[in-house]
């Protein structure tokens, strides 16, 4: 099936079909006509000729999405949303893991320059990688950029940590530990800074013994959590739900109950948060919105649409479940 077949069946011009199927119909084709064309294309089994598109436009219809660890559940949710958003506008998404490829940024820059991909989204790139994208910046969207002013999408980290500390303080906790993610990323540095700032603002001590940092490996994180618990904290704010899971494991091995002996708060709100017992109080990052906003911002830029000069802010919210209570020890 070709676009001509779709046009003939829908009784519209081929140019109208082209506008709709290439995602350029907004404000140019009536909504009812757009729906008719999409339904007709689906019924006829129409598939775009990608090779022809590349010959005509000189640009592939693929976006790259670079994330620091594709094994993390959170990134899986983000990427699914990104793929759906891209597909709705005629693009596909190529996944890149930045931890396993030291040359990932050079590779993506080369693919953009050679028109193999239309553009890319990078999640928490470091400053060195960011600098390499300078010459193709008009085809790149950064999430939580290291450089002020470069982010296309940002998270409200400070207000989220304020909610975490405030929630635990309202329950009566005074010895609140911070279980940090041991990765050189801006997002984790921001969480640490926001935690300390809020503790100071409300007049709570932040003893260095009440701070631990770990990678996400289960055994490593469990041992780090044990040391943190042994310092005498009554509550732990974790940088990630995976670290919160390690805190649960450590508490169980030490014969402590949650939240009876120890309150735990996570970060991300992946499915794990509801599989733990008791269910985990955690900060929710709306992965679906994040993925969609990043893709939408990039495609608007590639298609010459007006893009806001300031980043899109994704609001985070504290989801209170059963892992937090008044201090019991």
């Amino acid at each position: 099936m070709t676009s001509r077949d779709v046009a003939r069946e829908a009784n519209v011009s081929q140019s109208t079909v082209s506008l709709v199927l290439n995602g350029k119909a907004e404000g140019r084709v009536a909504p009812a006509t757009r729906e008719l064309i999409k339904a007709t294309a689906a019924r006829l089994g129409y598939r775009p000729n990608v090779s022809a598109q590349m010959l005509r436009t000189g640009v592939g219809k693929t976006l790259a999405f670079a994330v620091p660890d594709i094994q993390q559940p959170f990134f899986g949710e983000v990427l699914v949303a990104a793929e759906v958003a891209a597909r709705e506008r005629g693009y596909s998404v190529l996944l890149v893991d930045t931890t396993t490829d030291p040359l990932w940024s050079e590779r993506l820059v080369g693919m953009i320059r050679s028109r193999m991909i239309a553009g890319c989204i990078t999640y928490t790139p470091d400053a060195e990688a960011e600098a390499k994208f300078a010459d193709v910046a008009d085809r790149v969207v950064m999430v939580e950029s290291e450089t002020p002013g470069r982010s296309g999408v940002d998270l409200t980290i400070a207000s989220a940590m304020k909610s975490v500390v405030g929630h635990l303080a309202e329950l009566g906790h005074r010895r609140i530990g911070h279980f940090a993610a041991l990765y050189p990323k801006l997002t984790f540095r921001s969480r640490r800074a926001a935690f300390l700032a809020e503790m100071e603002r409300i007049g709570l001590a932040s003893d260095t013994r009440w701070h631990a940092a770990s990678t996400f490996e289960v055994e490593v994180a469990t041992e780090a959590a044990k040391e943190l618990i042994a310092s005498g904290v009554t509550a732990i704010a974790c940088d990630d739900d995976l670290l919160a899971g390690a805190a649960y494991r450590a508490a169980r091995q030490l014969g402590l109950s949650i939240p009876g002996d120890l309150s735990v708060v996570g970060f991300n709100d992946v499915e794990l948060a509801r599989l733990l017992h008791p269910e985990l109080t955690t900060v929710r990052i709306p992965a679906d919105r994040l993925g969609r906003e990043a893709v939408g911002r990039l495609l608007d830029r590639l298609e010459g649409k007006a893009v806001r000069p300031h980043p899109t802010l994704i609001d985070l919210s504290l989801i209170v479940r059963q892992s937090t209570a008044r201090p019991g020890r």
Side-chain angles (χ1 to χ4, degrees):
M1 287 294 169
T2 68
S3 60
R4 286 193 180 89
D5 297 318
V6 176
R8 185 166 48 250
E9 185 72 15
N11 196 28
V12 297
S13 68
Q14 187 179 359
S15 60
T16 301
V17 170
S18 178
L19 287 172
V20 173
L21 298 182
N22 287 313
K24 299 179 180 179
E26 190 69 34
R28 304 167 76 178
V29 180
T33 304
R34 294 203 301 265
E35 292 306 314
L36 171 64
I37 290 171
K38 289 178 181 178
T40 303
R43 179 165 52 81
L44 295 178
Y46 169 79
R47 294 290 183 275
N49 187 326
V50 177
S51 297
Q53 286 180 342
M54 285 191 68
L55 286 172
R56 185 173 64 255
T57 66
V59 182
K61 300 283 281 186
T62 300
L63 310 176
F65 204 132
V67 300
D69 187 352
I70 62 173
Q71 297 183 76
Q72 280 202 56
F74 171 71
F75 288 125
E77 296 180 24
V78 173
L79 290 164
V80 167
E83 171 64 28
V84 171
R87 188 166 62 244
E88 289 172 351
R89 293 175 65 170
Y91 286 77
S92 58
V93 175
L94 167 70
L95 175 62
V96 176
D97 188 326
T98 63
T99 59
T100 58
D101 182 3
L103 300 177
W104 70 272
S105 52
E106 292 96 323
R107 187 157 59 93
L108 286 183
V109 169
M111 292 173 74
I112 291 173
R113 285 174 173 163
S114 64
R115 303 282 179 159
M116 290 177 64
I117 59 175
C120 74
I121 300 162
T122 64
Y123 201 109
T124 63
D126 58 34
E128 182 180 353
E130 285 189 15
K132 292 173 182 174
F133 285 106
D135 291 340
V136 292
D138 59 329
R139 285 172 277 171
V140 178
V141 165
M142 297 183 183
V143 180
E144 292 194 275
S145 168
E146 289 272 356
T147 308
R150 282 191 182 174
S151 276
V153 180
D154 268 336
L155 310 181
T156 56
I157 297 290
S159 63
M161 271 302 189
K162 182 177 181 179
S163 297
V164 171
V165 174
H167 171 64
L168 294 173
E170 286 176 7
L171 290 172
H173 293 278
R174 296 295 176 265
R175 299 193 303 277
I176 302 174
H178 181 212
F179 196 9
L182 191 58
Y183 296 96
K185 294 293 179 182
L186 173 66
T187 187
F188 296 130
R189 297 199 303 274
S190 298
R191 293 173 202 191
R192 176 62 179 164
F195 173 84
L196 292 174
E198 185 59 17
M199 291 284 283
E200 181 179 6
R201 191 188 72 81
I202 63 177
L204 291 184
S206 52
D207 194 305
T208 54
R209 294 173 299 169
W210 303 344
H211 172 255
S214 173
T215 57
F216 295 145
E217 284 81 6
V218 174
E219 293 300 335
V220 174
T222 300
E223 291 306 310
K226 284 182 180 178
E227 292 185 16
L228 182 55
I229 294 170
S231 71
V233 296
T234 61
I236 300 177
C238 302
D239 271 357
D240 191 277
D241 290 343
L242 296 179
L243 294 179
Y248 270 57
R249 191 168 184 259
R252 184 170 62 248
Q253 292 179 8
L254 293 171
L256 302 177
S257 68
I258 296 173
D261 297 310
L262 180 72
S263 287
V264 179
V265 180
F267 211 106
N268 282 353
D269 195 29
V270 296
E271 191 173 13
L272 170 67
R274 293 173 296 285
L275 294 175
L276 292 171
H277 181 73
E279 291 189 12
L280 179 66
T281 294
T282 187
V283 172
R284 174 176 293 164
I285 302 179
D288 179 80
R289 184 175 173 226
L290 196 159
R292 282 185 166 275
E293 287 286 352
V295 167
R297 194 176 180 98
L298 177 58
L299 291 181
D300 284 350
R301 182 179 291 175
L302 295 177
E303 294 171 3
K305 297 180 181 178
V307 178
R308 296 183 301 274
H310 51 80
T312 299
L313 281 179
I314 305 293
D315 289 324
L316 312 185
S317 54
L318 180 66
I319 308 301
V320 178
R321 298 194 179 100
Q322 295 79 49
S323 67
T324 50
R326 296 189 64 80
R329 63 173 183 144

